[in-house]
Amino acid sequence: MLFGVLRRILRALIALPRPLRRMLAGPPVRQDGQTLDLDVQVVLRTLGLIAGGEEPSLVEQRRATDRAAGLAWSATPGVTTLPVRLPVPAGPGRDEPGELVARLYTPAEIGDRDAPLLVHFHGGGFALGSIASSEPLCRVLANQASVRVLSVEYRLAPENPFPAGLADAAAALHHVLTHRDEFRATTVAAGGDSAGANLALTAAHQLARHRDETAAFVLALYPVTDAGRVGGSRELFGEGFGLRTADIEVFERYYLPDGIEPIRPTGLLEVGDLAIMPPCYVSTAGFDPLRDEGEELVAALRDVDVPVVARRFPGLIHGYAGMAGVVPAARDAVLDAASALRAGLALTTKEAAAM
């Protein structure tokens, strides 16, 4: 089914009176002291009815992930795009220097003047997603936060397992930080959702540890932070809420084919120098298998006095940014992130100017 048609169907269903939506969705889903958002339940029920019985191949999943961007948001007027190539040095899985494909989003109100910039990494379990799948979110963040957004295409697993994607993310962030005049960037943030949030967080941490500077702010939506974890939210919400624990395990095997140990040096819940992290915005979803590890990261950051804005959206599921075009609660959550990004970058810009 074309995702444009599906989007119209879902919007029509969610526009129905609440009693009819409840009939379509079934009884309320309550778990762990939370109630699943009714509109999310309608979407899950509808997608479940039209889904095929066979597990799609990785190629099919990648194609569907890009096409599903149509569910994420309506067209965002007044945001221009520009293709960009970022030079990267030789590194893991890269014998010679190369380039990363990227896309720069600029809201009309900024035009050619200097402004904050967000370096964004898409989600998709380190194996799915692209700058195409993340375009709606990047457009909204650019428009609502009044920032430029540079969306970066990093290498995907299983063809390029850890640490290839992280090396690309760190190289992209470092390039922007050391060439900020080329991007008219007054300050630079890193951000992403899910796996992309992991890359933003870990790249910012690596640069803070090994370079002279790092991102001024990190925007992390429902991040993965602890490979190989069992129990807790991964068990409570492991089936029936979009992302399944079984899916996470597959993605982890793609990303970490030699086991989970390689990720430990960059697993932020275990590092001893977490205090070097910049201020962060971390969001979690109540019915997300990754909820607990995201919230444990918040607690760990606060324990070492890193400023953190933390949000849990109790009725939402993993990947809610991809539902923002049809689910009002998901739209509000994305707008909350944009507001936090705007405020966080405004504060860091003022602090930098005062130094």
PDB file of all heavy atoms in Angstrom, residues 48-80:
ATOM      1  N   GLY A  48      -1.356  -3.572  11.933  1.00  0.00           N
ATOM      2  CA  GLY A  48      -1.385  -5.008  12.162  1.00  0.00           C
ATOM      3  C   GLY A  48      -2.334  -5.719  11.220  1.00  0.00           C
ATOM      4  O   GLY A  48      -2.061  -6.856  10.788  1.00  0.00           O
ATOM      5  N   LEU A  49      -3.436  -5.064  10.862  1.00  0.00           N
ATOM      6  CA  LEU A  49      -4.419  -5.678   9.972  1.00  0.00           C
ATOM      7  C   LEU A  49      -3.919  -5.780   8.533  1.00  0.00           C
ATOM      8  O   LEU A  49      -4.301  -6.697   7.801  1.00  0.00           O
ATOM      9  CB  LEU A  49      -5.727  -4.887  10.010  1.00  0.00           C
ATOM     10  CG  LEU A  49      -6.534  -4.973  11.313  1.00  0.00           C
ATOM     11  CD1 LEU A  49      -7.717  -4.015  11.266  1.00  0.00           C
ATOM     12  CD2 LEU A  49      -7.022  -6.402  11.554  1.00  0.00           C
ATOM     13  N   ILE A  50      -3.068  -4.819   8.131  1.00  0.00           N
ATOM     14  CA  ILE A  50      -2.629  -4.813   6.729  1.00  0.00           C
ATOM     15  C   ILE A  50      -1.252  -5.453   6.545  1.00  0.00           C
ATOM     16  O   ILE A  50      -0.805  -5.638   5.416  1.00  0.00           O
ATOM     17  CB  ILE A  50      -2.590  -3.383   6.156  1.00  0.00           C
ATOM     18  CG1 ILE A  50      -1.550  -2.520   6.883  1.00  0.00           C
ATOM     19  CG2 ILE A  50      -3.964  -2.750   6.226  1.00  0.00           C
ATOM     20  CD1 ILE A  50      -1.395  -1.142   6.277  1.00  0.00           C
ATOM     21  N   ALA A  51      -0.582  -5.780   7.654  1.00  0.00           N
ATOM     22  CA  ALA A  51       0.757  -6.363   7.548  1.00  0.00           C
ATOM     23  C   ALA A  51       0.688  -7.776   6.973  1.00  0.00           C
ATOM     24  O   ALA A  51      -0.243  -8.530   7.251  1.00  0.00           O
ATOM     25  CB  ALA A  51       1.429  -6.387   8.917  1.00  0.00           C
ATOM     26  N   GLY A  52       1.711  -8.115   6.212  1.00  0.00           N
ATOM     27  CA  GLY A  52       1.794  -9.463   5.689  1.00  0.00           C
ATOM     28  C   GLY A  52       2.292 -10.429   6.737  1.00  0.00           C
ATOM     29  O   GLY A  52       2.806 -10.041   7.783  1.00  0.00           O
ATOM     30  N   GLY A  53       2.183 -11.723   6.480  1.00  0.00           N
ATOM     31  CA  GLY A  53       2.588 -12.714   7.465  1.00  0.00           C
ATOM     32  C   GLY A  53       4.077 -12.988   7.495  1.00  0.00           C
ATOM     33  O   GLY A  53       4.611 -13.386   8.515  1.00  0.00           O
ATOM     34  N   GLU A  54       4.791 -12.767   6.389  1.00  0.00           N
ATOM     35  CA  GLU A  54       6.207 -13.085   6.321  1.00  0.00           C
ATOM     36  C   GLU A  54       7.056 -11.915   6.784  1.00  0.00           C
ATOM     37  O   GLU A  54       6.719 -10.753   6.576  1.00  0.00           O
ATOM     38  CB  GLU A  54       6.599 -13.463   4.882  1.00  0.00           C
ATOM     39  CG  GLU A  54       5.931 -14.737   4.384  1.00  0.00           C
ATOM     40  CD  GLU A  54       6.417 -15.115   2.996  1.00  0.00           C
ATOM     41  OE1 GLU A  54       7.305 -14.392   2.468  1.00  0.00           O
ATOM     42  OE2 GLU A  54       5.934 -16.118   2.460  1.00  0.00           O
ATOM     43  N   GLU A  55       8.188 -12.257   7.413  1.00  0.00           N
ATOM     44  CA  GLU A  55       9.130 -11.225   7.825  1.00  0.00           C
ATOM     45  C   GLU A  55       9.812 -10.651   6.578  1.00  0.00           C
ATOM     46  O   GLU A  55      10.336 -11.399   5.756  1.00  0.00           O
ATOM     47  CB  GLU A  55      10.188 -11.810   8.765  1.00  0.00           C
ATOM     48  CG  GLU A  55       9.647 -12.217  10.119  1.00  0.00           C
ATOM     49  CD  GLU A  55       9.342 -10.998  10.990  1.00  0.00           C
ATOM     50  OE1 GLU A  55       9.995  -9.952  10.813  1.00  0.00           O
ATOM     51  OE2 GLU A  55       8.430 -11.113  11.830  1.00  0.00           O
ATOM     52  N   PRO A  56       9.813  -9.326   6.418  1.00  0.00           N
ATOM     53  CA  PRO A  56      10.453  -8.743   5.235  1.00  0.00           C
ATOM     54  C   PRO A  56      11.967  -8.880   5.302  1.00  0.00           C
ATOM     55  O   PRO A  56      12.567  -8.972   6.381  1.00  0.00           O
ATOM     56  CB  PRO A  56      10.034  -7.270   5.313  1.00  0.00           C
ATOM     57  CG  PRO A  56       9.767  -7.026   6.765  1.00  0.00           C
ATOM     58  CD  PRO A  56       9.220  -8.315   7.305  1.00  0.00           C
ATOM     59  N   SER A  57      12.591  -8.887   4.143  1.00  0.00           N
ATOM     60  CA  SER A  57      14.042  -8.931   4.078  1.00  0.00           C
ATOM     61  C   SER A  57      14.615  -7.578   4.495  1.00  0.00           C
ATOM     62  O   SER A  57      13.886  -6.579   4.606  1.00  0.00           O
ATOM     63  CB  SER A  57      14.504  -9.250   2.655  1.00  0.00           C
ATOM     64  OG  SER A  57      14.179  -8.175   1.788  1.00  0.00           O
ATOM     65  N   LEU A  58      15.920  -7.531   4.715  1.00  0.00           N
ATOM     66  CA  LEU A  58      16.559  -6.277   5.096  1.00  0.00           C
ATOM     67  C   LEU A  58      16.391  -5.234   4.001  1.00  0.00           C
ATOM     68  O   LEU A  58      16.136  -4.055   4.288  1.00  0.00           O
ATOM     69  CB  LEU A  58      18.041  -6.523   5.383  1.00  0.00           C
ATOM     70  CG  LEU A  58      18.856  -5.312   5.855  1.00  0.00           C
ATOM     71  CD1 LEU A  58      18.295  -4.744   7.149  1.00  0.00           C
ATOM     72  CD2 LEU A  58      20.330  -5.694   6.027  1.00  0.00           C
ATOM     73  N   VAL A  59      16.506  -5.645   2.754  1.00  0.00           N
ATOM     74  CA  VAL A  59      16.323  -4.718   1.636  1.00  0.00           C
ATOM     75  C   VAL A  59      14.908  -4.155   1.653  1.00  0.00           C
ATOM     76  O   VAL A  59      14.688  -2.940   1.475  1.00  0.00           O
ATOM     77  CB  VAL A  59      16.614  -5.409   0.290  1.00  0.00           C
ATOM     78  CG1 VAL A  59      16.209  -4.518  -0.879  1.00  0.00           C
ATOM     79  CG2 VAL A  59      18.091  -5.770   0.191  1.00  0.00           C
ATOM     80  N   GLU A  60      13.919  -5.011   1.890  1.00  0.00           N
ATOM     81  CA  GLU A  60      12.530  -4.552   1.945  1.00  0.00           C
ATOM     82  C   GLU A  60      12.295  -3.638   3.135  1.00  0.00           C
ATOM     83  O   GLU A  60      11.560  -2.643   3.030  1.00  0.00           O
ATOM     84  CB  GLU A  60      11.596  -5.769   2.009  1.00  0.00           C
ATOM     85  CG  GLU A  60      11.562  -6.582   0.726  1.00  0.00           C
ATOM     86  CD  GLU A  60      10.862  -7.916   0.903  1.00  0.00           C
ATOM     87  OE1 GLU A  60      10.804  -8.438   2.049  1.00  0.00           O
ATOM     88  OE2 GLU A  60      10.359  -8.455  -0.100  1.00  0.00           O
ATOM     89  N   GLN A  61      12.913  -3.948   4.262  1.00  0.00           N
ATOM     90  CA  GLN A  61      12.784  -3.080   5.433  1.00  0.00           C
ATOM     91  C   GLN A  61      13.365  -1.708   5.164  1.00  0.00           C
ATOM     92  O   GLN A  61      12.793  -0.681   5.573  1.00  0.00           O
ATOM     93  CB  GLN A  61      13.477  -3.707   6.639  1.00  0.00           C
ATOM     94  CG  GLN A  61      12.787  -4.933   7.208  1.00  0.00           C
ATOM     95  CD  GLN A  61      13.544  -5.472   8.408  1.00  0.00           C
ATOM     96  OE1 GLN A  61      13.592  -4.850   9.456  1.00  0.00           O
ATOM     97  NE2 GLN A  61      14.158  -6.628   8.242  1.00  0.00           N
ATOM     98  N   ARG A  62      14.499  -1.666   4.506  1.00  0.00           N
ATOM     99  CA  ARG A  62      15.109  -0.377   4.193  1.00  0.00           C
ATOM    100  C   ARG A  62      14.231   0.431   3.251  1.00  0.00           C
ATOM    101  O   ARG A  62      14.055   1.641   3.434  1.00  0.00           O
ATOM    102  CB  ARG A  62      16.498  -0.597   3.584  1.00  0.00           C
ATOM    103  CG  ARG A  62      17.543  -1.038   4.592  1.00  0.00           C
ATOM    104  CD  ARG A  62      18.869  -1.387   3.948  1.00  0.00           C
ATOM    105  NE  ARG A  62      19.890  -1.646   4.959  1.00  0.00           N
ATOM    106  CZ  ARG A  62      21.091  -2.162   4.699  1.00  0.00           C
ATOM    107  NH1 ARG A  62      21.420  -2.490   3.453  1.00  0.00           N
ATOM    108  NH2 ARG A  62      21.959  -2.357   5.686  1.00  0.00           N
ATOM    109  N   ARG A  63      13.675  -0.224   2.263  1.00  0.00           N
ATOM    110  CA  ARG A  63      12.808   0.474   1.322  1.00  0.00           C
ATOM    111  C   ARG A  63      11.568   1.006   2.033  1.00  0.00           C
ATOM    112  O   ARG A  63      11.153   2.148   1.830  1.00  0.00           O
ATOM    113  CB  ARG A  63      12.415  -0.478   0.192  1.00  0.00           C
ATOM    114  CG  ARG A  63      11.655   0.187  -0.949  1.00  0.00           C
ATOM    115  CD  ARG A  63      11.304  -0.815  -2.027  1.00  0.00           C
ATOM    116  NE  ARG A  63      12.495  -1.422  -2.608  1.00  0.00           N
ATOM    117  CZ  ARG A  63      12.778  -2.712  -2.573  1.00  0.00           C
ATOM    118  NH1 ARG A  63      11.952  -3.554  -1.965  1.00  0.00           N
ATOM    119  NH2 ARG A  63      13.861  -3.182  -3.133  1.00  0.00           N
ATOM    120  N   ALA A  64      10.977   0.174   2.897  1.00  0.00           N
ATOM    121  CA  ALA A  64       9.773   0.589   3.616  1.00  0.00           C
ATOM    122  C   ALA A  64      10.066   1.719   4.594  1.00  0.00           C
ATOM    123  O   ALA A  64       9.233   2.620   4.783  1.00  0.00           O
ATOM    124  CB  ALA A  64       9.182  -0.604   4.366  1.00  0.00           C
ATOM    125  N   THR A  65      11.239   1.703   5.225  1.00  0.00           N
ATOM    126  CA  THR A  65      11.601   2.757   6.174  1.00  0.00           C
ATOM    127  C   THR A  65      11.668   4.105   5.479  1.00  0.00           C
ATOM    128  O   THR A  65      11.183   5.121   6.004  1.00  0.00           O
ATOM    129  CB  THR A  65      12.953   2.436   6.835  1.00  0.00           C
ATOM    130  OG1 THR A  65      12.837   1.211   7.550  1.00  0.00           O
ATOM    131  CG2 THR A  65      13.367   3.540   7.799  1.00  0.00           C
ATOM    132  N   ASP A  66      12.244   4.150   4.290  1.00  0.00           N
ATOM    133  CA  ASP A  66      12.303   5.406   3.548  1.00  0.00           C
ATOM    134  C   ASP A  66      10.912   5.853   3.107  1.00  0.00           C
ATOM    135  O   ASP A  66      10.567   7.038   3.203  1.00  0.00           O
ATOM    136  CB  ASP A  66      13.212   5.261   2.331  1.00  0.00           C
ATOM    137  CG  ASP A  66      14.691   5.257   2.700  1.00  0.00           C
ATOM    138  OD1 ASP A  66      15.008   5.513   3.885  1.00  0.00           O
ATOM    139  OD2 ASP A  66      15.522   4.999   1.814  1.00  0.00           O
ATOM    140  N   ARG A  67      10.106   4.913   2.639  1.00  0.00           N
ATOM    141  CA  ARG A  67       8.762   5.273   2.176  1.00  0.00           C
ATOM    142  C   ARG A  67       7.869   5.724   3.321  1.00  0.00           C
ATOM    143  O   ARG A  67       6.995   6.572   3.143  1.00  0.00           O
ATOM    144  CB  ARG A  67       8.128   4.080   1.457  1.00  0.00           C
ATOM    145  CG  ARG A  67       8.764   3.756   0.110  1.00  0.00           C
ATOM    146  CD  ARG A  67       8.161   2.493  -0.485  1.00  0.00           C
ATOM    147  NE  ARG A  67       8.706   2.206  -1.803  1.00  0.00           N
ATOM    148  CZ  ARG A  67       8.460   1.089  -2.486  1.00  0.00           C
ATOM    149  NH1 ARG A  67       7.690   0.154  -1.950  1.00  0.00           N
ATOM    150  NH2 ARG A  67       8.993   0.901  -3.670  1.00  0.00           N
ATOM    151  N   ALA A  68       8.082   5.155   4.505  1.00  0.00           N
ATOM    152  CA  ALA A  68       7.235   5.489   5.653  1.00  0.00           C
ATOM    153  C   ALA A  68       7.447   6.909   6.149  1.00  0.00           C
ATOM    154  O   ALA A  68       6.697   7.381   7.016  1.00  0.00           O
ATOM    155  CB  ALA A  68       7.496   4.508   6.797  1.00  0.00           C
ATOM    156  N   ALA A  69       8.430   7.615   5.602  1.00  0.00           N
ATOM    157  CA  ALA A  69       8.630   9.011   5.998  1.00  0.00           C
ATOM    158  C   ALA A  69       7.383   9.838   5.737  1.00  0.00           C
ATOM    159  O   ALA A  69       7.167  10.872   6.381  1.00  0.00           O
ATOM    160  CB  ALA A  69       9.824   9.601   5.250  1.00  0.00           C
ATOM    161  N   GLY A  70       6.533   9.363   4.833  1.00  0.00           N
ATOM    162  CA  GLY A  70       5.290  10.073   4.553  1.00  0.00           C
ATOM    163  C   GLY A  70       4.333  10.117   5.725  1.00  0.00           C
ATOM    164  O   GLY A  70       3.400  10.921   5.751  1.00  0.00           O
ATOM    165  N   LEU A  71       4.525   9.233   6.718  1.00  0.00           N
ATOM    166  CA  LEU A  71       3.664   9.261   7.907  1.00  0.00           C
ATOM    167  C   LEU A  71       4.173  10.247   8.959  1.00  0.00           C
ATOM    168  O   LEU A  71       3.484  10.518   9.934  1.00  0.00           O
ATOM    169  CB  LEU A  71       3.614   7.867   8.549  1.00  0.00           C
ATOM    170  CG  LEU A  71       3.051   6.728   7.711  1.00  0.00           C
ATOM    171  CD1 LEU A  71       3.122   5.429   8.493  1.00  0.00           C
ATOM    172  CD2 LEU A  71       1.617   7.021   7.309  1.00  0.00           C
ATOM    173  N   ALA A  72       5.373  10.755   8.748  1.00  0.00           N
ATOM    174  CA  ALA A  72       6.022  11.489   9.822  1.00  0.00           C
ATOM    175  C   ALA A  72       5.485  12.898  10.006  1.00  0.00           C
ATOM    176  O   ALA A  72       5.297  13.352  11.135  1.00  0.00           O
ATOM    177  CB  ALA A  72       7.528  11.545   9.569  1.00  0.00           C
ATOM    178  N   TRP A  73       5.241  13.622   8.930  1.00  0.00           N
ATOM    179  CA  TRP A  73       4.834  15.021   9.079  1.00  0.00           C
ATOM    180  C   TRP A  73       4.320  15.523   7.746  1.00  0.00           C
ATOM    181  O   TRP A  73       4.704  15.025   6.697  1.00  0.00           O
ATOM    182  CB  TRP A  73       6.018  15.883   9.525  1.00  0.00           C
ATOM    183  CG  TRP A  73       5.616  17.134  10.251  1.00  0.00           C
ATOM    184  CD1 TRP A  73       5.254  18.316   9.683  1.00  0.00           C
ATOM    185  CD2 TRP A  73       5.524  17.318  11.659  1.00  0.00           C
ATOM    186  NE1 TRP A  73       4.953  19.230  10.657  1.00  0.00           N
ATOM    187  CE2 TRP A  73       5.114  18.650  11.883  1.00  0.00           C
ATOM    188  CE3 TRP A  73       5.762  16.492  12.755  1.00  0.00           C
ATOM    189  CZ2 TRP A  73       4.922  19.169  13.164  1.00  0.00           C
ATOM    190  CZ3 TRP A  73       5.584  17.018  14.022  1.00  0.00           C
ATOM    191  CH2 TRP A  73       5.168  18.338  14.219  1.00  0.00           C
ATOM    192  N   SER A  74       3.482  16.539   7.802  1.00  0.00           N
ATOM    193  CA  SER A  74       3.075  17.205   6.571  1.00  0.00           C
ATOM    194  C   SER A  74       4.262  17.970   6.006  1.00  0.00           C
ATOM    195  O   SER A  74       5.279  18.158   6.662  1.00  0.00           O
ATOM    196  CB  SER A  74       1.919  18.164   6.855  1.00  0.00           C
ATOM    197  OG  SER A  74       0.833  17.490   7.449  1.00  0.00           O
ATOM    198  N   ALA A  75       4.120  18.436   4.789  1.00  0.00           N
ATOM    199  CA  ALA A  75       5.175  19.239   4.191  1.00  0.00           C
ATOM    200  C   ALA A  75       5.448  20.463   5.055  1.00  0.00           C
ATOM    201  O   ALA A  75       4.526  21.081   5.585  1.00  0.00           O
ATOM    202  CB  ALA A  75       4.766  19.662   2.783  1.00  0.00           C
ATOM    203  N   THR A  76       6.728  20.776   5.228  1.00  0.00           N
ATOM    204  CA  THR A  76       7.116  21.926   6.039  1.00  0.00           C
ATOM    205  C   THR A  76       7.559  23.039   5.103  1.00  0.00           C
ATOM    206  O   THR A  76       8.647  22.990   4.532  1.00  0.00           O
ATOM    207  CB  THR A  76       8.262  21.561   7.000  1.00  0.00           C
ATOM    208  OG1 THR A  76       7.879  20.406   7.757  1.00  0.00           O
ATOM    209  CG2 THR A  76       8.566  22.702   7.956  1.00  0.00           C
ATOM    210  N   PRO A  77       6.730  24.054   4.916  1.00  0.00           N
ATOM    211  CA  PRO A  77       7.076  25.119   3.965  1.00  0.00           C
ATOM    212  C   PRO A  77       8.200  25.991   4.515  1.00  0.00           C
ATOM    213  O   PRO A  77       8.440  26.067   5.717  1.00  0.00           O
ATOM    214  CB  PRO A  77       5.769  25.908   3.839  1.00  0.00           C
ATOM    215  CG  PRO A  77       5.062  25.682   5.143  1.00  0.00           C
ATOM    216  CD  PRO A  77       5.422  24.282   5.564  1.00  0.00           C
ATOM    217  N   GLY A  78       8.879  26.656   3.602  1.00  0.00           N
ATOM    218  CA  GLY A  78       9.869  27.633   4.009  1.00  0.00           C
ATOM    219  C   GLY A  78      11.190  27.054   4.460  1.00  0.00           C
ATOM    220  O   GLY A  78      11.999  27.755   5.079  1.00  0.00           O
ATOM    221  N   VAL A  79      11.456  25.770   4.176  1.00  0.00           N
ATOM    222  CA  VAL A  79      12.738  25.153   4.521  1.00  0.00           C
ATOM    223  C   VAL A  79      13.400  24.703   3.231  1.00  0.00           C
ATOM    224  O   VAL A  79      12.860  23.883   2.501  1.00  0.00           O
ATOM    225  CB  VAL A  79      12.558  23.958   5.480  1.00  0.00           C
ATOM    226  CG1 VAL A  79      13.907  23.297   5.759  1.00  0.00           C
ATOM    227  CG2 VAL A  79      11.903  24.395   6.781  1.00  0.00           C
ATOM    228  N   THR A  80      14.567  25.252   2.949  1.00  0.00           N
ATOM    229  CA  THR A  80      15.295  24.878   1.740  1.00  0.00           C
ATOM    230  C   THR A  80      16.305  23.778   2.051  1.00  0.00           C
ATOM    231  O   THR A  80      16.735  23.615   3.196  1.00  0.00           O
ATOM    232  CB  THR A  80      16.034  26.082   1.142  1.00  0.00           C
ATOM    233  OG1 THR A  80      16.974  26.582   2.100  1.00  0.00           O
ATOM    234  CG2 THR A  80      15.055  27.187   0.786  1.00  0.00           C
TER     235      THR A  80
END
